[in-house]
Structure formats: structure tokens, C-alpha cells
Amino acid sequence: MHPAARPPAIERSEITALPAPFDAWFKTRGWAPRVHQLALLDIANAGRSALLVAPTGAGKTLAGFLPSLIALHQNPRTTRRRGIHTLYVSPLKALAVDVHRNVEKPVEEMGLSIRLETRTGDTSAGKRQRQKVDPPDILMTTPEQVALLIASKEALLLFGDLKRVVFDELHAIEPSKRGDLLALDLARLRRLAPDLVTVGLSATVAEPERLQRWLVAQNSSRNSAEDMADLVVGPAGASADIRILDYEDERLPWSGHTGRWAFEQVYRSIRDARLALVFVNTRAQAELTFQALWDLNDDGLAIALHHGSLETAQRRKVEAAMVEGKLRAVVCTATLDLGIDWGDVDLVINMGAPKGASRLAQRIGRANHRLDEPSRALLVPANRFEVLECRAALEAVKDGKQDDPVIRVGALDVLAQHVWGMAVAAPFQPDDLYAEVIEAFPYAALDRQTFDQVVDFVATGGYALRAYERYARLKAMPDGRVRLANPRLAQAYRLNVGTIVEADMLKVRLVRGRGQTGGRTTGPISRNGRVLGEMEEWFIEQLTPGDTFLFGGEIVCFEGMLENEAIVSRSFDKDPKIPSYQGGKFPLSTYLAASVRRMLSTPSEWTRLPSQVSDWLKLQQWKSRLPGLDDLLVETFPRGDKNYLVAYPFEGRLAHQTLGVLLTRRLERARARPLGFVANDYAIAVWGLGDMGRLIGTGRLSLSELFDEDMLGDDLDAWLQESSLMQRAFHYCSVISGLVERRHPGKEKTGRQLSVSTKLVFDVLRTHEPDHILLKAAMADAATGQLDIRRLGDMLRRVKERIVHVELDQVSPLAVPIMLEIGRVSVGGDASESLLADAADDLIREATR
């Protein structure tokens, strides 16, 4: 048992008997309450909060709601105040709707007089308004709706009698800005309803203590078990049936990320399943995979596509068809990762490496929602390195291992949004709000000076902006309280609440035209057609009329722009472009990275690998060497008219990209004349005109100095001053904090307008107030997000005095995959695969001769 867990009194004889309707409901189904379900009931009766950690199919949802249903049955609505009794919070709108359906069924079957409702962004304005004056017993909603409700004048009516808050998929919410905002909202709910208890429902996590603390009010003077929710661990489910796709009869690619080589085998696996979920890691990969499977679909199987850029109505249509059993497969991204019961799914296929053990376990849980039957999963590595990663992920799931959580503190831009929202609710006393904020786990260590800086920023924009009235959102009152500077700011808050900042998007509208017969539409562009979804503005800007690309599972022809919409028609082009969506690429997790390094450094483990991969590693061992568990292998070699340095940190794409930038700066100072670099999850390659191997061999270039941790000091700061990354991070922080508003009553700013606004402010603050609170927030975001500075620093400390240099005359076998990344430009279709194969053949011949 986890050391923080209190052993719940869960002997059945000690539990009060279930009320008659509940006992009868279980018995008529031949069921009995599970131990962890009774444990949560026992903890609820004791008035304590709890975290339930249990696998898919263990009945977490029923466990979370059972205490509420029993309490509402024993204390009907007519004998209590008319506020919400239980608040359920889900990270996904679809999950809230799904749970509503699953809980409503037993309520109806037991004949309970309990009203359950959902409230999401899709709920009608009329229903949302009615809920404020006539709230249901149980409200199922999302984090953004909670923020809106606690900032409303009806907050006390809604939540004054709140008894219980259930957070579903808490492990997915907590380590994010949404988790920060929700923690702050929970602190306010405790002020409105001091006796409320919380319940967190979570899949297996590596360190449950963070979630236990997140669920209860923190007291920095105690920092003890009193500041933690009880921990209840559900039973382990049946071991998952996971296998890696058999490719002994196929040539496994050395590089690439599509998994195109395996599409025929994937299709056959779909044909043999009842309902398969085909997970991919990016939306662009989803489009490519769906189109490839559709081209192979001679059996006419019902295969659908689901990702976040598709129109909401289209996604809901796919979800409904899954529940009704009308589909055989769905190609999807992380939009279907979380715990929704999507019908009779019996196979999960993961295209490419999962990038994390926890993510793989989560996805596998979508198959077979039964605790005592194994989930089936098929892993499809896209290249040779991904075989190692898939093997490591498979063994991690088998051993119950999880990825280490990302350690972070509450974001200051999120706190600024919350301060604004609390002023919308009512004037506040800064002392009182500070005491409330530090009860939230992400902000437990927040010092008063930083809090006051955040309040001053919301009030004035900060020192450099206080002369501009547009940035003044709060005003001080004679009694020391703080209020909104203008009533219109309440509406502005409601329109801009939330922490999800999408990339600049444009709607894609499908119209009829000659594009349906292979040509382009001529004449005026029409808006008569349906919206397929949204795409990044920067991708649309690269298109010219007549260009074709995949979107929404169709090949479409770009006709042109009409206001803020991209107009497309159907096309039968055989070689379409593939959308290059921003984001969505998961970096390799720390746990899996360490597992891959361990596998490489332990030849006895290679017997479990396919011969193509084990032979590749043996060849590398012969031609060069393999990195040790905690070593950093650095290879240098000439090729053509350039010289190359390849390092193998195995720390993920983000950390490697940051390392590449800083290495090239240092190599430039060492007069190695670097020209560029590429990075993937496993390695980094730098090329230049100088002979880096000779410089290292003669001592003119020191590897210990080149990879010294001090690169994260002045070199990093100097680069950040020049790069657009900090500006992009500042842009997101400005939007979340409310400094720049995305939406105004009756209109919405375009992405370009937002970018121009934030760039102007960024330049002013960097020049006149470099310690501005938003610049600090942007730096924190860059460090934990796109730069992954913490992980890079850990790696540099790990390899200190453990750097191994091998000077070669030619490219090594292990370097072939990263070398194939150099100069790659996606040209779509089979042409790109053919070019990649040709390049791979040339490099392989060179590496093996």
C-alpha cells in the first residue's frame, strides 16, 4: 500500500447495509458491490475526501456516484435547499454526456427521484440560464463551465449546499493549466460550501500523492497527511493481451513515422475484429491512415475518422455510430483517449510508438470495458527505433509501470484569469483571496509578493502598461476591496474564460463545384456548403487555388478564401498534400527513454527483438559502439562535403531541439562552422563545414565543455532573446491571462490580429519591464513545454564525465535514422516513401560496407 494511504475500513460487515433499492438493483443483475466501491462509501460517510485509483472496467464511475445517489435517496430534494448536491467534472464534453447516460440508467431502473443534467459548451443558452435558477441534484460539466459558474452572481445559490465534487480522469487534468484553474475554482467552492468533500477518479498513476494533495485544501504550515485525501486502490484487472505487429516478412523502415509499410496488416486486423480503435499521434497521421485504410477497404467495412479539427457535429455522429455498433473501426487521435465507453471495442491498434507507458495503458483501456477480461492491443512501430520503444512500452504495461509525472507549479497567467473571474463574481479583499488561493495545491507555495504582482497586473497591466486605460480591469475601493473597473469586463471574462489556446484556425467549408470532376471551380466562390472542420491558418496560407490535400477523410481541392473561411471542393487527385497540423506530437517519456537506453546497453535483451533490429544493433556494435545506460555516445564522421556530429541522448524531441540550438551556438564560437541540425526522440545530428571529429581529437574542441550544463545559462538566455519561441509562449500567456482578449461581444479577433497585438506588448515589456509577471509566466511555459529545459538539464548532469566519442570514416548504422531526417520535405503520397527508401538504401550501403 502507498505510504500515504489510510487503510479504509472496508470489511463488508462493517459497512452499513445498502438501502433496499440499491441492494435489489445489484442482486437483480447478479452483481455485488466491489470492495473499492464500498470503501468510497465508507469514506464518504466519514466526511473525508478520497482518490480512487483503478483500471478500466473496475466500476470507478459507479463508485464515485454511489455515495451521492444514496444520500439523495435518503434526503430527497423536497427536504433540502435547492442547490446542486453533487458536481461532476470531466475533461471532455463527450465524457460528461457519456457518464450522464451511464448514471441515469440505474437511477431510472431504481426509480430514484434524482435529477441529473449536463452543462457543456454545447448546452443551449436557455437550458444554461434555467440551471442557474433551478439547478439539478447532480450537474455533470467541464472545468470551463465551473469557472463560469463560480464567477456568476448565482454562485452561492448553486453551490451553497454542495456536498460532493467528483473529478473524473484526474490524472489527465492535474498536470496542466486546466488543472491549475480547476484547483483554484475548487478553493472557491470550499469557501461557498465549507463541508464539501471531493473524490478523484484516476487510472493508475506513478505518484498518487500529488493527486491526493490536489483534492484537499493545503496548509503550508502543516504539509502532513491531513493535507491529503484518502487513497483507495482498486483491484488489478486481467493482464492486457498486447503484441507488436509481426514484420519479419516485411522490410522494416529505418526512419519515417507513417507506418505505411503495415497498412495492409492493420486492415486485416480490423477485418478480424468487432470494433477497432486505431490510435495515431497526430491529426495529419490520422488523415493519412484513414485514407490508406479506405483505399484498402474492398470489404466495404464501416471505417470512420475522429480528431479534434473535425466539425463537432461530425465527431458526435461518429461517436453515436460507435455506441450503436454501426462501425468496424475508427481512426482517432487523443480525442478518444479518455474513459468513455464507446461500445463493443475489442481491439486497440496504436500506429507508431505510444511515446509513454501511461498513454499506452490509457489507450488499451478503451478495449473491453470488463475488469476480468483482457484488453487486446496491437502496436505498430513505424521504424526500427520505435520497435525498441514499443517493446519497452509493452513491458512497462505488463509490469504495471507508469511514466513519472511532470513536476510543475501553478501558472501565473492562469492565476491572473482567476483573479479577474473573482472580481466578476463580487468585489474581493486581497488578503482573503490570497488565503484562498494558497489552499489550492498548485499554488500552495505562492508567496505574497508574487500574488500582489498578479493582482496589480490584472488591475493595471503592470508598470509599463498602466498608462493605457484598456489594460485597467480592476479598481481599488475605499474599504480596501477590489472591484471590476467597468461592468463590460464581466461579459469579456465570460467570453474568454479557459486555458486552451488553439492555434490560429480557419473553418474549412466544402462546396459543390467542378472540383468534383477533377477540375477547379471558376467564377465567384460560394459559401453554400457544409463545414468540414478547422485547420491551422498557416497551412492554408501556403496553398494556392488548385492545390489538393486530405481533410476530414476526403481529398479536397482548395478553391480560395472567403472572409475567414477556406473554401474547398471534392477532388479525385491521387497525390494530395497531407495537412501539417501544429502540436499533437508527443515527446518520448522519461521512463520509456530510460528503458530504451537500458535495452541498448544490455545485449542479452536483444534476443526478444526481431532479427532485423537485433542485427542492426550488432552491426552498430561492430562498426562503432552502443551507448551505455548513463553514457552519452557522440559520433563524428565526414559525408560528402560536410562533417557530422551525432549524439544519442534519448531524451525526447523537445529536449533535443533545445540542445541542438545551444550546441550550434557553441560550435559556432569554436569555429566549427555549423550549418544546421535535426532532432528526433532518440538522437540529434549537427552538420557543418568544420571537421568536428578532428577538433575533438586534437583537443581544440572539448566535449565536456560542449555539453556542459552551463549552456542553460547565458547561451539559453541569449537565444531566447532572439527566438520567436518566447514570443509565442508570451502570446499564449497573454490570451489566458486576459491581457489580450480573443473574443469581444459580437466579434472575434483573427489569429493574425491576436499575434500582432501580443507582439507589440511583448516588445514593450521586454524593453521597459523585463521582470513583468507575464514574461515570467512565458519563461516558465517555455522551460516546461517547448524547451523541456528541466529534462535537458537532468540529462547534462547524468552524462557529466560520461561522454564517449567515436571518430568514424563514414556514417554508422545507428546514425542512419537521424541522417534520413536531414532535408526531408513531405511531398505526399508514395513519392515521399520512394524518396525515403532510396535515401535509406544509399545510407545503409555506406553504413554497412
Side-chain angles (χ1 to χ4, degrees):
M1 177 172 291
H2 191 277
R6 298 175 186 165
I10 54 177
E11 292 295 330
R12 182 63 200 270
S13 60
E14 299 177 13
I15 301 287
T16 303
L18 291 175
F22 295 83
D23 195 50
W25 183 79
F26 275 101
K27 287 179 178 177
T28 56
R29 281 152 186 77
W31 298 347
R34 288 180 170 146
V35 170
H36 58 279
Q37 293 170 335
L38 295 176
L40 278 196
L41 183 58
D42 183 46
I43 292 169
N45 290 338
R48 302 198 305 268
S49 297
L51 170 68
L52 171 60
V53 175
T56 298
K60 289 196 293 288
T61 301
L62 182 58
F65 281 99
L66 190 59
S68 297
L69 297 179
I70 291 175
L72 286 164
H73 168 67
Q74 295 174 335
N75 183 23
R77 186 176 178 83
T78 55
T79 63
R80 64 178 183 84
R81 289 174 53 192
R82 295 177 61 84
I84 296 168
H85 177 280
T86 295
L87 184 67
Y88 165 88
V89 185
S90 154
L92 298 177
K93 293 184 287 186
L95 181 55
V97 173
D98 180 67
V99 168
H100 175 269
R101 181 179 68 246
N102 291 338
V103 176
E104 190 174 44
K105 185 176 180 180
V107 167
E108 292 176 350
E109 290 172 345
M110 285 185 274
L112 304 178
S113 180
I114 297 174
R115 206 170 105 217
L116 305 88
E117 292 183 3
T118 60
R119 181 188 180 94
T120 71
D122 296 335
T123 305
S124 69
K127 184 176 181 180
R128 291 202 302 267
Q129 191 59 37
R130 192 263 300 156
Q131 286 172 338
K132 286 185 177 182
V133 296
D134 182 23
D137 299 299
I138 298 176
L139 182 66
M140 299 166 174
T141 189
T142 59
E144 291 72 27
Q145 291 296 318
V146 175
L148 287 169
L149 289 172
I150 66 166
S152 69
K153 63 179 183 296
E154 298 89 358
L156 186 59
L157 168 67
L158 290 169
F159 300 120
D161 198 36
L162 186 66
K163 302 299 182 188
R164 191 173 179 84
V165 186
V166 180
F167 298 99
D168 208 349
E169 305 287 354
L170 183 58
H171 62 286
I173 303 176
E174 184 269 335
S176 67
K177 289 191 176 185
R178 290 182 92 198
D180 294 345
L181 185 59
L182 193 55
L184 291 167
D185 294 338
L186 177 57
R188 172 47 59 101
L189 287 173
R190 291 193 192 98
R191 288 292 192 271
L192 298 171
D195 296 330
L196 74 81
V197 296
T198 58
V199 176
L201 307 179
S202 175
T204 304
V205 289
E207 296 181 15
E209 182 177 322
R210 286 183 60 83
L211 302 187
Q212 289 173 264
R213 291 194 181 280
W214 190 96
L215 285 166
V216 300
Q218 298 299 293
N219 185 321
S220 58
S221 63
R222 285 197 313 256
N223 194 27
S224 66
E226 295 179 50
D227 297 332
M228 297 172 63
D230 289 17
L231 175 65
V232 178
V233 179
S239 298
D241 177 11
I242 313 172
R243 66 183 182 90
I244 300 175
L245 189 66
D246 181 10
Y247 35 76
E248 290 296 349
D249 296 331
E250 301 281 349
R251 175 181 169 178
L252 188 62
W254 291 63
S255 185
H257 305 284
T258 64
R260 184 186 294 271
W261 67 274
F263 285 153
E264 289 189 10
Q265 292 188 65
V266 169
Y267 176 75
R268 289 196 294 269
S269 297
I270 290 171
R271 191 174 55 195
D272 295 338
R274 289 192 304 272
L275 173 57
L277 291 184
V278 183
F279 280 106
V280 297
N281 289 334
T282 68
R283 289 170 285 171
Q285 192 181 3
E287 294 281 355
L288 184 150
T289 302
F290 174 79
Q291 188 65 39
L293 292 175
W294 196 254
D295 290 343
L296 293 168
N297 192 9
D298 294 336
D299 302 284
L301 303 180
I303 302 175
L305 176 65
H306 192 288
H307 63 68
S309 287
L310 298 178
E311 182 70 5
T312 301
Q314 177 62 22
R315 297 201 305 270
R316 297 293 174 263
K317 183 178 178 181
V318 171
E319 292 160 10
M322 291 172 66
V323 173
E324 295 167 9
K326 295 180 178 179
L327 298 177
R328 293 292 298 277
V330 180
V331 179
C332 55
T333 59
T335 51
L336 296 184
D337 262 3
L338 297 179
I340 303 174
D341 188 353
W342 292 125
D344 201 14
V345 177
D346 66 329
L347 177 64
V348 164
I349 301 173
N350 201 94
M351 298 295 297
K355 301 302 172 187
S358 300
R359 181 175 300 109
L360 177 60
Q362 183 79 41
R363 288 179 170 181
I364 291 173
R366 300 308 99 224
N368 198 353
H369 274 221
R370 299 171 186 85
L371 187 64
D372 54 352
E373 295 182 18
S375 300
R376 286 199 307 132
L378 179 65
L379 307 185
V380 184
N383 58 59
R384 297 182 180 216
F385 266 126
E386 287 197 353
V387 173
L388 302 175
E389 190 181 332
C390 284
R391 171 58 61 182
L394 185 154
E395 292 177 0
V397 172
K398 179 181 176 182
D399 296 338
K401 303 295 185 182
Q402 298 291 317
D403 298 316
D404 296 327
V406 177
I407 305 302
R408 55 186 300 280
V409 296
L412 297 179
D413 53 333
V414 175
L415 178 58
Q417 183 183 126
H418 181 71
V419 168
W420 183 15
M422 293 306 90
V424 171
F428 65 81
Q429 182 66 249
D431 290 346
D432 295 339
L433 185 57
Y434 175 68
E436 176 184 316
V437 163
I438 60 175
E439 288 185 359
F441 173 67
Y443 298 92
L446 180 74
D447 62 85
R448 181 58 190 261
Q449 181 181 1
T450 302
F451 173 80
D452 289 340
Q453 286 179 320
V454 171
V455 174
D456 180 65
F457 158 68
V458 180
T460 67
Y463 170 77
L465 301 176
R466 66 178 64 247
Y468 302 93
E469 186 177 351
R470 61 181 294 187
Y471 299 117
R473 286 180 280 172
L474 306 179
K475 279 191 178 298
M477 300 172 66
D479 62 1
R481 292 183 298 163
V482 177
R483 64 170 177 84
L484 278 184
N486 190 305
R488 69 168 181 81
L489 291 166
Q491 178 67 357
Y493 171 80
R494 286 189 282 269
L495 290 172
N496 292 278
V497 73
T499 63
I500 300 175
V501 182
E502 295 285 357
D504 304 336
M505 306 291 280
L506 294 174
K507 282 186 170 60
V508 179
R509 186 178 294 276
L510 180 68
V511 301
R512 292 181 60 84
R514 289 218 313 270
Q516 291 180 286
T517 58
R520 280 194 56 238
T521 301
T522 58
I525 298 175
S526 168
R527 190 176 263 171
N528 295 324
R530 64 185 177 90
V531 173
L532 294 178
E534 294 182 322
M535 286 192 64
E536 274 83 352
E537 183 177 359
W538 71 267
F539 178 81
I540 298 294
E541 287 177 343
Q542 298 179 67
L543 302 177
T544 57
D547 283 346
T548 58
F549 59 96
L550 286 173
F551 187 72
E554 301 189 56
I555 301 175
V556 295
C557 174
F558 179 61
E559 301 288 348
M561 292 295 302
L562 187 60
E563 296 180 5
N564 287 327
E565 292 187 350
I567 307 301
V568 301
S569 61
R570 283 194 177 89
S571 171
F572 298 103
D573 194 325
K574 296 298 183 183
D575 190 25
K577 289 187 177 181
I578 299 167
S580 299
Y581 300 96
Q582 288 182 328
K585 293 182 179 178
F586 304 113
L588 180 65
S589 73
T590 304
Y591 179 85
L592 286 191
S595 298
V596 170
R597 291 200 309 272
R598 185 177 299 107
M599 199 178 304
L600 285 172
S601 62
T602 313
S604 61
E605 294 192 15
W606 300 353
T607 56
R608 292 178 295 170
L609 299 173
S611 59
Q612 291 185 58
V613 178
S614 60
D615 289 347
W616 170 50
L617 299 182
K618 291 173 185 175
L619 187 62
Q620 169 69 16
Q621 199 174 36
W622 177 46
K623 293 285 188 179
S624 174
R625 64 174 293 163
L626 285 160
L629 177 59
D630 293 318
D631 296 341
L632 175 64
L633 174 63
V634 176
E635 296 176 329
T636 53
F637 50 84
R639 189 168 194 269
D641 59 351
K642 299 180 182 65
N643 293 279
Y644 293 82
L645 181 152
V646 178
Y648 304 91
F650 292 92
E651 289 296 345
R653 176 178 49 85
L654 299 180
H656 291 175
Q657 287 175 340
T658 303
L659 177 62
V661 169
L662 301 180
L663 279 181
T664 52
R665 295 179 72 91
R666 293 194 157 193
L667 288 168
E668 184 67 41
R669 288 202 299 270
R671 300 186 179 181
R673 294 181 289 169
L675 297 175
F677 77 92
V678 292
N680 60 20
D681 275 321
Y682 318 105
I684 175 173
V686 182
W687 64 93
L689 299 177
D691 188 342
M692 290 175 278
R694 186 162 174 266
L695 288 172
I696 295 169
T698 59
R700 292 166 58 193
L701 180 61
S702 166
L703 284 178
S704 60
E705 292 178 3
L706 187 63
F707 287 91
D708 194 279
E709 190 183 358
D710 64 6
M711 70 166 58
L712 301 181
D714 292 343
D715 280 335
L716 178 63
D717 291 339
W719 172 61
L720 287 176
Q721 295 302 317
E722 303 167 2
S723 77
S724 61
L725 190 145
M726 266 294 287
Q727 184 179 314
R728 188 161 65 247
F730 180 83
H731 167 80
Y732 291 141
C733 290
S734 297
V735 172
I736 291 171
S737 68
L739 181 72
V740 176
E741 297 170 10
R742 288 170 284 189
R743 304 177 189 92
H744 297 268
K747 61 180 179 179
E748 181 169 346
K749 279 190 176 182
T750 66
R752 189 180 302 279
Q753 289 171 327
L754 277 176
S755 297
V756 170
S757 299
T758 55
K759 185 181 186 308
L760 291 172
V761 176
F762 177 74
D763 291 339
V764 168
L765 295 183
R766 193 172 60 169
T767 302
H768 299 288
E769 195 178 353
D771 62 344
H772 191 277
I773 203 74
L774 273 197
L775 292 177
K776 293 179 181 178
M779 183 60 197
D781 277 6
T784 58
Q786 289 299 310
L787 296 183
D788 216 346
I789 291 173
R790 181 181 290 111
R791 187 166 173 184
L792 176 56
D794 290 342
M795 185 276 292
L796 294 172
R797 286 187 290 274
R798 170 173 61 82
V799 304
K800 193 175 183 66
E801 299 182 1
R802 298 182 65 95
I803 303 174
V804 179
H805 174 228
V806 179
E807 188 173 4
L808 302 169
D809 295 328
Q810 61 194 36
V811 62
S812 73
L814 204 64
V816 169
I818 189 66
M819 293 291 288
L820 286 169
E821 300 279 347
I822 297 174
R824 284 188 64 197
V825 178
S826 176
V827 295
D830 293 330
S832 61
E833 295 294 319
S834 177
L835 289 175
L836 186 61
D838 290 343
D841 288 341
D842 290 341
L843 278 167
I844 293 162
R845 281 193 293 271
E846 181 180 332
T848 57
R849 68 169 180 250

